[in-house]
Amino acid sequence: MATNAFAANAYSAIQGLGQSAGARPQATPSNGPDFAELVRGAVGHVAESGRNAESQAAAAAMGRADIVDVVTAVAESEAALETLVAVRDRVIQAYEEIMRMQI
């Protein structure tokens, strides 16, 4: 469930960026987190869910965890990674579009 909330938050953050693309840039800083913090948080969440999946798999190999918990942890980690990759692809696409603009 935490991954679903993470994906929803990442999606809404990206939507907000897309909607304000037509607006003029503001000289004053916003009250929200900056892009670097968003990226750090997303990468940290993906790494954390990956570590959780690994620990669940190791516990299952030793007979201390249920296979359902392992599958859930792996699916959560996979969803978080796919979301991060999708956001990365969109950022690269936006950068390439900006670089194609004529000044």
Side-chain angles (χ1 to χ4, degrees), residues 12-101:
S12 66
I14 295 300
Q15 287 297 325
L17 290 175
Q19 291 173 352
S20 63
R24 300 188 79 171
Q26 298 177 352
T28 60
S30 66
N31 293 339
D34 64 349
F35 184 72
E37 285 187 34
L38 287 174
V39 171
R40 261 188 239 109
V43 171
H45 178 74
V46 170
E48 179 183 332
S49 65
R51 284 190 294 271
N52 183 30
E54 287 178 10
S55 67
Q56 288 289 338
M62 291 185 236
R64 293 186 299 197
D66 189 22
I67 192 70
V68 174
D69 295 334
V70 175
V71 171
T72 303
V74 169
E76 188 174 305
S77 177
E78 182 180 6
L81 184 62
E82 287 176 358
T83 302
L84 184 64
V85 168
V87 170
R88 180 210 59 188
D89 290 345
R90 292 290 298 190
V91 167
I92 291 172
Q93 182 183 14
Y95 173 77
E96 289 173 345
E97 185 174 329
I98 290 169
M99 294 306 293
R100 284 192 299 265
M101 288 182 182

